[in-house]
Amino acid sequence: MQHKFSRVAIIGLGYIGLPTAATLASRGVEVIGVDVNEHAVSMITQGKVHFSEPDLDMLVRAAVMTGKLRAVVTPEPAEAFIIAVPTPLADDKRPDLGYIDAAARSIAPVLEAGNLIVLESTSPVGTSARLSRQLAELRPDLTFPHAAGERSDIRIAYCPERILPGRMVLELVENDRIIGGLTPACAARADQLYRIFVKGACLLTDANTAELVKLTENAYRDVNIAFANELSMICDGMGLDVWRVIELSNRHPRVKILQPGPGVGGHCIAVDPWFIVDGMPEASRLIRTAREVNDSKPLHVIERIRRHAQRFKDPVIACLGLTYKPNVDDLRESPALEITAHIARERLGKVLAVEPHIARLPRELAEFDNLRFCDMSDALAEADIAVLLVDHAEFRAIEAKELLNKIVIDTRGFWRDRLYVPDRYGRAAAE
Ligand SMILES: NC(=O)c1ccc[n+]([C@@H]2O[C@H](COP(=O)([O-])OP(=O)(O)OC[C@H]3O[C@@H](n4cnc5c(N)ncnc54)[C@H](O)[C@@H]3O)[C@@H](O)[C@H]2O)c1
């Protein structure tokens, strides 16, 4: 058994890397946090966080004050390197591995025999092996597991992350982890690292399986949400209440349909299934179609807004919520943001954008002269059409009387109980 880890470098201090760095530091490990973003490094150095996540600020402040976490822009030698850099989708819907490549180039000069490298970025199948080949080219003096197997100088494993924004600090410790080694010795070494802070089970497998497990989790969610979204479009066409149809269908003991929404956002579920499609296009017809169904849902909502807006001379449209999910400030890939921008761009009316979780209008909406950032009560007082896009807790407080005499388009089934014609979630008010 190799010795325990006393010095670990985390490459990429974003939503995943920073909580991981601070948690490891809280367990007494010396953590070198590396990020190319100088602003992030300077914030962390002051003990502050550059994005909002419950309890993370306290954890980071404590880690920095005790000297266990140090943020830098260039990697330094360590016993283990955890890579948590972005893996976005390129315009052609293919994975962009450029950030992983850059991270590999940056750690290559400081690698030493005996080191462990763990890739945490969500990645197409084969990426850990690709990382091993790439590092072998950069460091011909060291041996790597894709070629040297169990005798390699460097151990490489893949360990996907499945923490939920808003509960990251807790889930990082509590969730089960899948650890895929390029060899069994690689998996065993990574297991030693994660056991420092993970209370959940650490389940060992090979790297390719672990890579596909992460993609599978999100493709599963995407396909099931697509079913609900497709059903909502069918119900709209038939004049039926999708929420009631789902509620009643779910009384079957083996049926559990998810809830529809305005589309699928975030940079995981809306992105990761494409990594499977890219790897196996002919075998992944359902996964591709689900992606397309979910991507088409915002256009369906826009069409409904357009239809109602046409009935007014100068319609005022309140868009309630801009984030991709409730009770967070995350706008990435948000269908609510896409819908709001689209109706402003098309000039369907005067648009009032309401988002209690952010302080000012996001860049994507700043260009429109017919759009205003607005608080909830002003927007409701002025609007002819109220579009509920995100089920934030704040919007639950809205009373039925505030929605009276408005066209209500509720993409979340949130206000059913307070609309006067509940079985048509507002459509009946206009039609
Ligand atoms: N956020 C989530 O909820 C979540 C959940 C599961 C998996 N993931 C995956 O984890 C990975 C990281 O996601 P995230 O949300 O933390 O991203 P993020 O954008 O919040 O953070 C990534 C950080 O990496 C830094 N970075 C980029 N290139 C770098 C380099 N060469 N060297 C050092 N730092 C570099 C960026 O400046 C940024 O601060 C992605 O693959 C993502 O798909 C994210």
Side-chain angles (χ1 to χ4, degrees):
M1 178 123 164
Q2 268 180 291
H3 66 89
K4 295 255 183 312
F5 297 89
S6 55
R7 199 166 200 249
V8 174
I10 313 280
I11 316 300
L13 297 174
Y15 285 88
I16 296 298
L18 187 56
T20 307
T23 303
L24 260 175
S26 74
R27 301 297 189 274
V29 176
E30 183 190 344
V31 178
I32 303 156
V34 185
D35 204 294
V36 289
N37 177 346
E38 286 178 16
H39 168 69
V41 168
S42 130
M43 293 276 287
I44 296 162
T45 302
Q46 297 166 48
K48 297 180 186 158
V49 292
H50 55 291
F51 56 89
S52 91
E53 174 64 29
D55 301 329
L56 183 63
D57 49 350
M58 263 168 13
L59 201 63
V60 168
R61 198 177 323 119
V64 172
M65 275 170 60
T66 53
K68 285 292 177 190
L69 171 62
R70 205 156 46 80
V72 294
V73 287
T74 316
E76 296 173 14
E79 286 149 306
F81 296 82
I82 294 179
I83 301 177
V85 296
T87 40
L89 207 55
D91 289 341
D92 58 359
K93 306 266 185 232
R94 304 203 62 194
D96 171 2
L97 301 182
Y99 293 94
I100 296 182
D101 294 347
R105 283 194 300 274
S106 76
I107 62 170
V110 295
L111 284 182
E112 291 165 9
N115 283 171
L116 167 73
I117 302 168
V118 182
L119 181 61
E120 281 206 11
S121 302
T122 303
S123 301
V125 174
T127 307
S128 306
R130 178 180 178 276
L131 177 66
S132 184
R133 291 194 298 274
Q134 191 180 8
L135 288 168
E137 274 183 29
L138 295 165
R139 288 295 301 270
D141 55 320
L142 293 169
T143 59
F144 289 83
H146 72 281
E150 297 292 55
R151 296 183 320 279
S152 65
D153 292 329
I154 305 292
R155 305 296 193 199
I156 298 184
Y158 180 75
C159 183
E161 191 48 79
R162 39 167 68 141
I163 52 181
L164 187 71
R167 285 172 51 83
M168 286 181 155
V169 171
L170 188 76
E171 290 203 359
L172 196 60
V173 173
E174 306 274 336
N175 286 356
D176 293 346
R177 297 299 290 254
I178 311 301
I179 299 178
L182 278 187
T183 67
C186 293
R189 185 69 176 137
D191 183 46
Q192 289 176 338
L193 175 62
Y194 284 90
R195 278 181 193 279
I196 297 174
F197 65 96
V198 172
K199 283 198 204 145
C202 290
L203 304 157
L204 306 196
T205 182
D206 63 88
N208 284 356
T209 301
E211 287 160 351
L212 188 58
V213 166
K214 172 66 192 173
L215 303 180
T216 299
E217 291 165 3
N218 285 338
Y220 172 85
R221 299 273 305 153
D222 201 42
V223 168
N224 283 280
I225 296 167
F227 183 82
N229 276 337
E230 184 164 291
L231 196 62
S232 74
M233 293 189 269
I234 291 168
C235 286
D236 282 345
M238 292 179 169
L240 294 176
D241 176 359
V242 66
W243 317 101
R244 187 73 178 142
V245 169
I246 292 174
E247 185 186 330
L248 296 177
S249 303
N250 281 349
R251 297 299 284 265
H252 183 295
R254 284 166 296 282
V255 172
K256 197 171 183 326
I257 303 167
L258 301 182
Q259 299 295 298
V264 170
H267 72 331
C268 288
I269 298 180
V271 170
D272 304 349
W274 288 116
F275 293 7
I276 299 180
V277 175
D278 184 60
M280 278 281 152
E282 280 169 18
S284 48
R285 287 174 299 158
L286 178 63
I287 293 172
R288 172 195 286 276
T289 303
R291 250 328 31 255
E292 288 166 354
V293 167
N294 285 332
D295 274 353
S296 73
K297 186 67 198 283
L299 296 176
H300 176 83
V301 176
I302 291 162
E303 188 45 45
R304 285 183 62 195
I305 299 170
R306 184 186 297 117
R307 227 177 39 231
H308 290 302
Q310 279 162 357
R311 301 172 179 215
F312 294 84
K313 187 161 169 290
D314 296 306
V316 179
I317 307 167
C319 290
L320 297 166
L322 297 174
T323 59
Y324 84 84
K325 58 186 241 168
N327 310 323
V328 297
D329 63 354
D330 197 335
L331 297 168
R332 291 180 291 182
E333 312 284 330
S334 168
L337 189 62
E338 178 188 341
I339 291 166
T340 306
H342 194 116
I343 61 174
R345 190 177 308 113
E346 252 198 65
R347 308 194 82 80
L348 295 184
K350 182 170 148 197
V351 180
L352 307 177
V354 180
E355 179 43 76
H357 291 265
I358 57 177
R360 67 186 79 85
L361 203 59
R363 183 174 35 84
E364 294 86 341
L365 301 181
E367 61 182 278
F368 302 114
D369 59 5
N370 58 336
L371 183 147
R372 199 174 92 226
F373 197 48
C374 198
D375 76 20
M376 188 170 79
S377 51
D378 288 353
L380 287 175
E382 249 185 86
D384 302 304
I385 302 173
V387 188
L388 180 83
L389 293 169
V390 186
D391 36 352
H392 286 317
E394 288 84 350
F395 300 150
R396 272 210 196 274
I398 294 172
E399 290 178 30
K401 63 176 189 289
E402 296 176 86
L403 302 174
L404 195 59
N405 300 326
K406 293 188 197 310
I407 306 294
V408 175
I409 299 175
D410 177 358
T411 69
R412 297 281 181 177
F414 203 55
W415 286 336
R416 287 180 65 216
D417 56 342
R418 64 206 75 175
L419 296 173
Y420 290 100
V421 189
D423 60 341
R424 295 285 178 91
Y425 53 112
R427 280 178 49 199
E431 288 172 354

